[in-house]
């Protein structure tokens, strides 16, 4: 069954512009239901680019379900998408803060943040560092603890040695003052896709836990003190299922944590039944743990 588009009679869609605290301009897509509420769901994208629109993910079923239940839906586009080879992972915290500030300025006093894939660690670090009281719930969708940590589960011993060699080379370039030199890694993804960036950027995204500033939802998970959803595909080929369990286990301070499996789903919100299953289960959890309230 094809994904159901968001009805214009039920919502309004706007391309928005926000400015981060360091004056970097960002864009996003905001869907708002006709009936006003004070509840908004912010999606933090994955991938090193942090691009809002990624062909493998169909967000329309999730958007439709959120609108039908009275939530606004804000899909953020991170600065890494504009300058990816030179991007640094930790900059995403500033970007998320900018979108949260925008939502609050629009009258949304209650916010839930969803992080998909690498968006999960981005969201976890934001939650730990900013402690924003308006954020009342979070969700990890097909998430990873970090690129390095998920690769320790998915990669062969030979591939893991190759990763360590690449990281050692990147660290050496940085130590020599050559952090802007290009570094690549072939066949990172199961589809055979490769990655490339500056030595400094590669370390920031793909470095080990001992490297400063690298992703880790496991590190920041214990600092999340709001209801948390971990929703994961049973057949996720990139973030293998043990990753979901590790993320769930780290959420020790959450007053309500749930691990939900999507039957037959891969790493992606694939258009059709799988994206619809992700949407149905995610929104059902939000309705229970982050119910809509009318705007005052």
């Amino acid at each position: 069954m094809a994904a159901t588009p968001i009805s214009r009679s039920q919502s309004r869609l706007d391309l928005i512009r926000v400015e981060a605290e360091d004056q970097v301009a960002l864009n996003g897509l905001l869907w708002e239901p006709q009936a006003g509420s004070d509840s908004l769901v912010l999606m933090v994208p994955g991938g090193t680019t942090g691009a809002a629109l990624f062909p493998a993910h169909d967000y329309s079923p999730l958007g439709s379900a959120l609108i039908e239940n009275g939530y606004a839906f804000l899909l953020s586009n991170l600065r890494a998408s504009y300058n990816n080879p030179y991007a640094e992972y930790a900059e995403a915290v500033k970007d998320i803060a900018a979108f949260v500030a925008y939502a609050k300025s629009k009258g949304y006093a209650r916010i839930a943040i969803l992080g998909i894939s690498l968006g999960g660690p981005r969201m976890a670090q934001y939650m730990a560092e900013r402690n924003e009281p308006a954020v009342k719930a979070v969700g990890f969708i097909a998430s990873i603890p970090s690129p390095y940590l998920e690769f320790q589960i998915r990669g062969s011993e030979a591939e893991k040695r190759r990763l360590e060699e690449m990281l050692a080379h990147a660290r050496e370039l940085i130590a020599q003052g050559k952090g802007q030199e290009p570094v690549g890694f072939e066949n990172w993804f199961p589809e055979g896709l490769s990655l490339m960036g500056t030595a400094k950027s590669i370390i920031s995204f793909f470095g080990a836990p001992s490297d400063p500033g690298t992703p880790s939802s496991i590190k920041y998970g214990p600092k999340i003190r709001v209801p948390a959803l971990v929703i994961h595909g049973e057949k996720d080929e990139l973030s293998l299922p043990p990753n979901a369990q590790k993320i769930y286990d780290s959420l020790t301070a959450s007053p309500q944590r749930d691990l939900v499996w999507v039957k037959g789903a891969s790493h992606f919100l694939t258009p059709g039944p799988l994206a619809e299953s992700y949407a149905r289960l995610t929104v059902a959890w939000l309705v229970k743990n982050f119910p809509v309230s009318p705007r005052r």
Side-chain angles (χ1 to χ4, degrees):
M1 183 171 62
T4 303
I6 299 174
S7 170
R8 292 186 179 182
S9 64
Q10 293 176 317
S11 68
R12 172 177 173 170
L13 171 61
D14 289 309
L15 175 65
I16 66 164
R17 179 186 186 278
V18 305
E19 192 169 283
E21 59 203 40
D22 55 354
Q23 286 75 58
V24 172
L26 306 164
N27 289 116
L29 294 171
L30 174 64
W31 287 267
E32 294 182 291
Q34 282 190 343
S37 79
D38 70 351
S39 305
L40 176 141
V41 176
L42 171 64
M43 174 67 80
V44 178
T48 55
T49 66
L53 298 179
F54 183 65
H57 293 310
D58 180 7
Y59 293 116
S60 57
L62 178 60
S64 293
L66 288 169
I67 294 298
E68 289 168 3
N69 284 277
Y71 300 95
F73 180 41
L74 176 53
L75 181 56
S76 60
N77 195 62
L78 307 184
R79 71 179 70 191
S81 66
Y82 311 134
N83 196 28
N84 180 241
Y86 296 89
E88 293 186 37
Y89 165 78
E91 293 172 331
V93 171
K94 298 175 185 176
D95 299 349
I96 297 170
F99 285 104
V100 169
Y102 174 84
K104 291 169 64 178
S105 76
K106 294 280 290 183
Y108 294 103
R110 301 173 66 255
I111 299 168
I113 306 181
L114 306 178
I116 188 166
S117 191
L118 184 56
R122 286 170 167 139
M123 173 268 290
Q125 184 168 346
Y126 166 81
M127 291 295 294
E129 292 185 358
R130 298 302 174 104
N131 195 29
E132 169 56 56
V135 179
K136 306 297 185 184
V138 300
F140 295 83
I141 301 178
S143 192
I144 58 174
S146 75
Y148 181 90
L149 291 173
E150 75 81 8
F151 199 77
Q152 302 310 301
I153 297 173
R154 177 169 58 87
S156 67
E157 291 304 314
E159 289 171 331
K160 286 187 280 188
R161 285 194 298 271
R162 190 163 62 91
L163 173 62
E164 296 300 339
E165 291 169 0
M166 183 271 285
L167 293 175
H169 174 57
R171 294 184 193 108
E172 183 178 354
L173 287 173
I174 294 170
Q176 294 172 354
K178 301 177 181 179
Q180 301 306 310
E181 291 287 324
V183 174
F185 189 89
E186 293 185 356
N187 300 323
W188 175 273
F189 300 99
E191 301 87 352
L193 297 176
S194 303
L195 56 92
M196 179 168 281
T198 66
K200 192 174 181 181
S201 177
I202 288 290
I203 288 294
S204 80
F205 280 96
F206 297 93
S210 57
D211 290 305
T214 53
S216 180
S217 56
I218 303 303
K219 174 182 176 181
Y220 295 110
K223 298 182 181 181
I224 293 176
R225 295 180 173 84
V226 297
L229 167 67
V230 179
I231 181 167
H232 213 85
E234 287 183 332
K235 296 184 178 180
D236 195 315
E237 74 284 19
L238 177 61
S239 179
L240 299 182
N243 290 286
Q245 187 66 54
K246 288 178 179 293
I247 295 169
Y248 173 82
D249 290 344
S250 75
L251 300 168
T252 53
S254 173
Q256 176 64 46
R257 56 177 175 167
D258 293 285
L259 177 54
V260 176
W261 296 101
V262 184
K263 187 176 181 180
S266 72
H267 186 66
F268 304 103
L269 276 61
T270 307
L274 296 183
E276 292 163 8
S277 293
Y278 266 112
R280 183 183 70 256
L281 294 169
T282 300
V283 175
W285 185 89
L286 287 168
V287 167
K288 181 179 179 181
N289 295 282
F290 176 66
V292 168
S293 61
R295 184 170 296 190
R296 296 177 181 177

